[in-house]
Amino acid sequence: MRSQRKLERVAAMTLKGGLADRTAWTATECSIDKAMGVIGTRSAVLILREAFYGTTRFDDFARRVGITEAVAAARLKDLTAAGLFEKSPYREAGQRTRYEYLLTEMGNDLLPVVLGLMQWGDKHLQRGGGPLEVTTDGRPARVEIRGEDGSPVAAEELVVRPRTS
């Protein structure tokens, strides 16, 4: 007998204005599509994870993510060209000049996205939660949607509408 999961209706956002008729428009110039064009590979997201953990050097990215040097070079080049990293030269005694990869403001702004993926994986893909815990002052830290006043916002409370400015 197959295991059955409880199916729940998705709490959807409300589309307003010209977006309400979903057959009347297509998602051209979609920011999600553009973002996925920058970070949409497994190796790119895992490189970002490692950068948030403090990794800065090429060899460490390749080793910690478990990718070839060719893949690490391609991803770091792409992420740097997109503005998520900047290269900073360093030189150890007796060695040639090499580069560290440092997150820019644009790269740092992806922290909630990476932590959100981690939380989702902990909840839905790991038995008993994930292997790591993110805390602040010993209390669990979570990524969630909040309004400008700081109050939690449920998906069904969100409204999506065309930008007017």
Side-chain angles (χ1 to χ4, degrees):
M1 181 178 208
R2 281 176 56 187
S3 171
Q4 292 185 0
R5 293 184 182 200
K6 181 181 175 187
L7 299 178
E8 296 180 21
R9 177 99 172 119
V10 174
M13 299 182 286
T14 301
L15 300 177
K16 292 283 189 175
L19 300 178
D21 179 2
R22 303 257 343 258
T23 62
W25 61 275
T26 59
T28 59
E29 294 300 311
C30 173
S31 296
I32 295 170
D33 184 40
K34 288 179 180 279
M36 292 305 294
V38 174
I39 63 162
T41 65
R42 175 185 176 275
S43 56
V45 174
L46 294 179
I47 284 171
L48 286 166
R49 175 199 67 193
E50 289 306 316
F52 291 125
Y53 290 166
T55 301
T56 60
R57 296 187 176 182
F58 175 85
D59 293 337
D60 294 333
F61 281 116
R63 181 178 48 78
R64 292 195 49 80
V65 172
I67 54 179
T68 66
E69 289 187 1
V71 171
R75 288 301 86 70
L76 285 164
K77 180 180 178 182
D78 292 345
L79 294 168
T80 300
L84 279 67
F85 285 97
E86 62 181 29
K87 290 169 61 173
S88 177
Y90 73 92
R91 185 174 181 168
E92 293 178 353
Q95 299 291 318
R96 64 180 172 85
T97 298
R98 300 187 71 178
Y99 293 91
E100 290 184 303
Y101 293 84
L102 306 174
L103 285 165
T104 62
E105 179 182 359
M106 183 181 184
N108 274 307
D109 285 348
L110 283 166
L111 178 60
V113 174
V114 174
L115 288 179
L117 285 170
M118 180 182 179
Q119 283 177 205
W120 181 84
D122 288 350
K123 180 177 179 180
H124 297 287
L125 305 176
Q126 300 276 12
R127 290 194 173 154
L132 304 176
E133 180 179 45
V134 178
T135 64
T136 178
D137 294 328
R139 298 169 299 159
R142 299 207 37 88
V143 176
E144 62 184 17
I145 302 168
R146 293 194 170 265
E148 196 170 272
D149 66 355
S151 62
V153 177
E156 59 271 12
E157 295 177 71
L158 295 171
V159 174
V160 181
R161 63 177 180 241
R163 189 176 304 277
T164 57
S165 56

